[in-house]
Amino acid sequence: MKIKNGNTVSVHYKGTLNDGTEFDNSRTRGTPLNFKVGSGKMIRGFDGACVGMTTGQTKTVSINPADAYGERNPKALQPVPKNAFGPDFNFQVGQPVQGNGPQGPFLAMIHALENDMVVLDMNHPLAGKELTFEIEVVSVENSETTTASSWSATMKKAELLQIAKDNNLDVTTKTTKAKIVEALQAL
């Protein structure tokens, strides 16, 4: 069975950067990754690469930053007072740190040290990078998903949005209901 949106899949993968550095590997952990294709739980490029694959198939794909973790955002550099850390904290540029902010827990990288301030880089560590994944499909389950043929223009925008996303259409919460209907009609 070929993978399509709505299927639950189990895959092994190895992720590398352009220089060959391995940043993640499901085989090293000994557990394949399970996810529902088209659900938005995975980066767009990885999710899309799985569509059309079959059980036992392996392929290698390169994913640009826009379809991975996005471009680096220079506005994501945040100065924080050093006294927000413990008194024995050993500050090192490039060191990952975890904390709690107004929006909840976060992971950041120490970007710079300035007098009594630490500049944290809040970008995802893989932002701005092209990623290469070797993906092997372990299994495919035929999950139920709402198909493009089972919608009505009288449905609420949120319902239409979910159906459009389930069918891998390029829509967001900012897309108007009329545009979502138009996209569904084009399927």
Side-chain angles (χ1 to χ4, degrees):
M1 157 194 306
K2 285 189 175 186
I3 295 173
K4 62 183 180 187
N5 284 326
N7 291 143
T8 298
V9 298
S10 179
V11 300
H12 270 298
Y13 68 93
K14 177 174 77 172
T16 56
L17 302 175
N18 283 344
D19 66 1
T21 302
E22 187 175 296
F23 62 85
D24 199 3
N25 188 327
S26 64
R27 290 193 188 280
T28 301
R29 288 190 304 280
T31 306
L33 172 68
N34 300 304
F35 67 99
K36 183 176 179 180
V37 177
S39 67
K41 303 275 188 216
M42 300 298 299
I43 59 173
R44 185 173 30 193
F46 189 97
D47 201 61
C50 292
V51 173
M53 292 182 71
T54 58
T55 301
Q57 183 179 357
T58 299
K59 79 174 174 181
T60 301
V61 295
S62 291
I63 301 173
N64 65 42
D67 290 329
Y69 293 97
E71 296 295 340
R72 293 191 52 72
N73 180 356
K75 294 180 181 177
L77 298 178
Q78 173 117 15
V80 176
K82 283 184 178 176
N83 64 14
F85 296 82
D88 297 327
F89 192 87
N90 182 20
F91 297 98
Q92 293 179 2
V93 172
Q95 175 183 4
V97 295
Q98 294 182 20
N100 285 307
Q103 283 91 19
F106 66 86
L107 179 64
M109 195 75 72
I110 295 178
H111 178 74
L113 302 171
E114 300 173 355
N115 299 324
D116 61 346
M117 300 296 277
V118 178
V119 179
L120 298 180
D121 184 348
M122 307 298 273
N123 284 292
H124 188 282
L126 296 174
K129 297 186 178 176
E130 184 172 313
L131 309 178
T132 300
F133 287 97
E134 179 182 286
I135 304 168
E136 178 191 359
V137 179
V138 176
S139 67
V140 181
E141 293 178 30
N142 191 13
S143 307
E144 287 189 31
T145 186
T146 308
T147 63
S149 62
S150 62
W151 64 274
S152 162
T154 61
M155 296 172 91
K156 293 182 179 180
K157 177 184 174 183
E159 295 170 307
L160 292 170
L161 180 64
Q162 188 58 54
I163 294 168
K165 285 183 177 183
D166 286 348
N167 287 278
N168 212 26
L169 296 176
D170 190 20
V171 294
T172 67
T173 54
K174 293 181 181 181
T175 307
T176 65
K177 181 178 177 179
K179 290 288 185 188
I180 296 170
V181 168
E182 184 179 310
L184 287 167
Q185 287 172 334
L187 285 178

